[in-house]
Structure formats: C-alpha cells, structure tokens
Amino acid sequence: MKTGLVLEGGALRGLFSVGVCDVLTEHGFVPDGIVGVSAGAAFGCNIKSHQPSRPLRYNKLMAHEWRYCSLRSLIKTGDLFGGDYCYHYMPNNIDLFDAETFNSDPTEFFAVCTDLDTGKAVYKRLMTIDYEAEEWFRASASMPLCSKIVVINGQRLLDGGIADSIPLRFMQEKGYSRNIVVLTQPEGYTKEKNRFLPLMKMVYRKYPRFVDAIARRHEMYNEQLQYVEEQEKAGNTFVIRPPEKLPVNHITHDTDAMQRTYDIGRNTAMELLKETNSIRGFLDKE
C-alpha cells in the first residue's frame, strides 16, 4: 500500500504544514509520494531534500529583504515574491537547497500548477532539481495579480491552487491508496467567491478559461473539502488541520508570527501522535 502526502497551499500559512511534517518525519513517517500546491510545493520539497524547518529559517531570514517579498519587488519585477531571487538566487547562494539529497531520494514529488490557456491543473513530477524544476516550484506558488505568468516549455502557468487546491483525487489516481492531507485552514472553513474577480477578468481577459477557473474556485475548493471528509470517514485518508485560524494569512513580515505558525503545526502533530487510534494507527494499517 503506497502512502501519499497531500500539502495544501496558503503562502506563509504553509509554515503550519512545515511544523506538522517535521514532527511526522522525526517520528519515522516517510511518504512514498508527495503532492504540493503553491506553498505546499515550495516548502514540501524540503521533505525530499531532508531539510526540516528550512522554510521557517529562510522566511525569517528574508523577512525584511525587499527582493524576497515586498511591494517594491512587485513594482520592480512584477512578482511580490521575487521570482529570480526566491527560486534561483536564494536557494543556490544564501540558504542552500540540498539538490543532491533531493535527487537521490526515491520519494515521488509532484508540483501542481494551473495552465492559463486551459484553466486546468498541470501535475509535474519532479525527481531532480535544476533551473526548470525551480521554475515549476515558482509557477505553482505564483499567485494571480501578485506574480508574472511563468512560461515553461510554452505553457503559461500560475498558482496550482486555482485549478486543484487539495489534490487528493490525483494521488489516489496515481495509486496512493492511503493519504495524509495537511490543510492550512481550520475545521469549518469555507471559501467565498473571490472579491477580486472583476479585476482578474480584466487582467487575464486573454485567458477566459483561467478566469472561469478563478470564478469557480470557491465551489471547487468547498467540494474538495467535502470529498476529503468523505475519504476520511472511509478510513483511507487522515486529515491534519490547524485547531484555529492561524496567526498569518498569505504574507507577513512578522518573524514571531511565522514561528508561532510553525509551532502550531508541531504542536498539532504532537497531539495527534499522543491520541489513541489516531495517526499511528492510521499509518500502521495494512
């Protein structure tokens, strides 16, 4: 039985997932495959490179570096999170990404992006790291209005969460019959219609199918939450989510808030490990 790990996005809310995954790793959990959306991809790749807490470390280090994330970066480069700086310069020169370990680790890794021309999800299997792979991580985490369109091999790509926010079905179709799903919103959360839709329609008018995907995203997301709940009740999915709204939304420059978000993830995972018939029992099932 193959075990998958599904990581939702949410920009810096993803530090919750980092805390969760660090604890699971410390207690011997090794997934057979990982699928990450947006921050789930950009942060989750550090599981395969065996670099726990690295996303927390570099986000705190870069908190006040304008080239990493700032309005100045958006104005000067077209990316709120500087595309070249975040995905190429920083991991190769400042907080080094362990490409050698990533390449040698057998865990299957998928990053999810959205194709602007089709409005559909693109699932890229990434087993080795090079410039193009870094661009796939960048595309997966490139939020509309805040990022330039990322073009890879002729495909125009942005945030994977637009087309598939919680890709549990994808992992099941790939043969991962047992999955841990890490969400970054608390129980009871429902997504509302995007209030920036009129602006999105204007900015992305050349890509009507992408606009349609944005317009329907809240419906897609809420349906996926329902599906995750159904699969959890069926016993083949284990869901980990924050106990309450996290102290960060998409972005923050507050390093204490980043640390608290990570710590909430760690504490949540630790509590689940203590519970009888909880995550340990789920992972021990054949």
Side-chain angles (χ1 to χ4, degrees), residues 44-72:
C45 61
N46 293 277
I47 300 170
K48 185 171 160 64
S49 70
H50 300 192
Q51 292 177 285
S53 75
R54 178 174 173 269
L56 174 66
R57 184 175 66 238
Y58 69 68
N59 274 286
K60 291 173 71 173
L61 179 66
M62 300 284 106
H64 301 291
E65 169 55 67
W66 75 265
R67 293 172 295 177
Y68 184 77
C69 176
S70 68
L71 181 59
R72 181 180 174 186

Side-chain angles (χ1 to χ4, degrees), residues 82-94:
D84 289 334
Y85 190 85
C86 292
Y87 296 97
H88 301 296
Y89 184 79
M90 188 279 293
N92 291 301
N93 295 278
I94 298 176

Side-chain angles (χ1 to χ4, degrees), residues 7-26:
L7 300 175
E8 183 186 10
L12 289 183
R13 289 201 310 270
L15 293 175
F16 168 83
S17 304
V18 176
V20 167
C21 293
D22 282 358
V23 168
L24 295 182
T25 300
E26 290 163 11

Side-chain angles (χ1 to χ4, degrees), residues 242-262:
E244 58 190 16
K245 182 176 171 58
L246 292 169
V248 297
N249 193 8
H250 281 85
I251 62 172
T252 183
H253 299 286
D254 184 342
T255 57
D256 289 338
M258 294 178 193
Q259 184 69 53
R260 289 198 304 274
T261 301
Y262 172 82

Side-chain angles (χ1 to χ4, degrees), residues 197-208:
L197 184 58
L199 180 57
M200 299 272 199
K201 288 180 176 179
M202 181 178 68
V203 172
Y204 299 107
R205 60 189 177 277
K206 293 182 180 179
Y207 309 103

Side-chain angles (χ1 to χ4, degrees), residues 24-44:
L24 295 182
T25 300
E26 290 163 11
H27 285 78
F29 171 57
V30 180
D32 298 298
I34 302 168
V35 61
V37 182
S38 192
F43 295 171

